[in-house]
Amino acid sequence: MSAAEAGGVFLRARGRTLDAFSSEKEREWKGPFYFIQGADPQFGLMKAWSTGDCDSGGDEWKQEIRLTEQAVQAINKLSPKPKFFVLCGDLVHAMPGTPWRKEQTEDLQRVLRTVDSEIPLVLVSGNHDVGNVPTPETIAEFQQTWGDDYFSFWVGGVLFLVLNSQFLYDASMCPALKQAQDQWLDQQLSIAGQRKCQHAIVFQHIPLFLQSVDEDDSYFNLTKLVRKEMADKFSRAGRSTCGPGAAPDTETWRRL
């Protein structure tokens, strides 16, 4: 595989869409299908966790390589094939600008290149991928390595929305980037209404909540103010885009 071909495996999200699917061909519901969802391959976490220093990038990730290889082997054996394989961050454990980040990224990409070429990868950013407080520089690094940090695509009449949830956590260092995502999301939800999508599914790393929309704020959820704003937005869109009284489905994963 050439360097250009290898890069294309991970840079399929460009121009705020995914080049694996034709939006014109995929806007109509064609019956049930399935996809595979995973999260937190996070190369380097297990060593960092075992030493009690989770702020460290971890200088070993053999266990993570083995587990990810096993997951890929299992996915490749599935029949019929899933429409896509989505990883909802954290892709690696080392934060931007910390040791072992380059090596962890290269090893993860090596393993993910073995995913069946007919099963597109959908890559979602987590806090370890763009930083707890993202900056224009960390967002640019993610985009250069993995593709767009937020985008949408259609499969079989379903609209999939990938969000950068760190903008919802703390966008103090990149307010203009958050504003751009907010405006884009509003446009996408409007399009969903116009195109009468069968479902709208949202992928993001930090969940709105773990058990209840009214639960207390914690490290593993978004703040009440933000989650209410987002939940109301999705609910309003659901009533107008996905059938009477139906809110878009949301798929979120806790961060580590």
Side-chain angles (χ1 to χ4, degrees), residues 54-247:
C54 288
D55 292 331
S56 169
D59 60 353
E60 296 178 12
W61 47 92
K62 290 181 180 179
Q63 293 184 77
E64 289 94 322
I65 290 175
R66 177 177 55 81
L67 292 170
T68 307
E69 287 176 339
Q70 291 176 353
V72 169
Q73 290 167 7
I75 290 169
N76 287 344
K77 292 178 181 178
L78 292 171
S79 181
K81 299 180 188 300
K83 282 289 188 177
F84 58 85
F85 174 30
V86 57
L87 276 174
C88 289
D90 291 314
L91 303 178
V92 299
H93 185 65
M95 290 283 191
T98 63
W100 305 300
R101 182 173 175 87
K102 179 176 181 290
E103 293 81 0
Q104 291 173 7
T105 298
E106 290 176 346
D107 279 346
L108 177 59
Q109 289 187 334
R110 176 180 55 79
V111 176
L112 292 180
R113 286 190 189 104
T114 64
V115 174
D116 189 317
S117 61
E118 295 183 19
I119 305 173
L121 289 170
V122 179
L123 302 166
V124 183
S125 64
N127 56 305
H128 281 261
D129 304 312
V130 297
N132 286 321
V133 183
T135 68
E137 292 74 22
T138 63
I139 298 300
E141 180 200 344
F142 181 88
Q143 292 174 337
Q144 292 165 6
T145 305
W146 301 107
D148 283 348
D149 56 318
Y150 63 90
F151 55 95
S152 66
F153 59 99
W154 289 79
V155 177
V158 177
L159 175 62
F160 292 91
L161 301 168
V162 173
L163 300 184
N164 182 342
S165 57
Q166 288 311 121
F167 290 154
L168 306 176
Y169 175 76
D170 189 343
S172 59
M173 298 296 290
C174 53
L177 295 181
K178 177 188 183 299
Q179 183 180 23
Q181 177 176 265
D182 289 344
Q183 294 174 345
W184 171 88
L185 177 58
D186 289 341
Q187 293 170 352
Q188 292 299 306
L189 294 175
S190 176
I191 289 172
Q194 296 167 12
R195 299 298 176 95
K196 296 181 172 59
C197 66
Q198 184 75 10
H199 302 284
I201 296 179
V202 179
F203 294 125
Q204 61 189 63
H205 184 64
I206 309 176
L208 298 184
F209 54 88
L210 300 180
Q211 302 295 333
S212 167
V213 70
D214 297 320
E215 68 192 22
D216 292 337
D217 296 348
S218 74
Y219 178 78
F220 295 108
N221 61 20
L222 293 171
T223 64
K224 288 183 180 180
L225 180 63
V226 171
R227 83 176 71 130
K228 183 179 187 306
E229 176 187 347
M230 297 299 291
D232 287 348
K233 179 177 294 191
F234 290 142
S235 180
R236 289 193 303 270
R239 284 193 292 271
S240 63
T241 66
C242 301

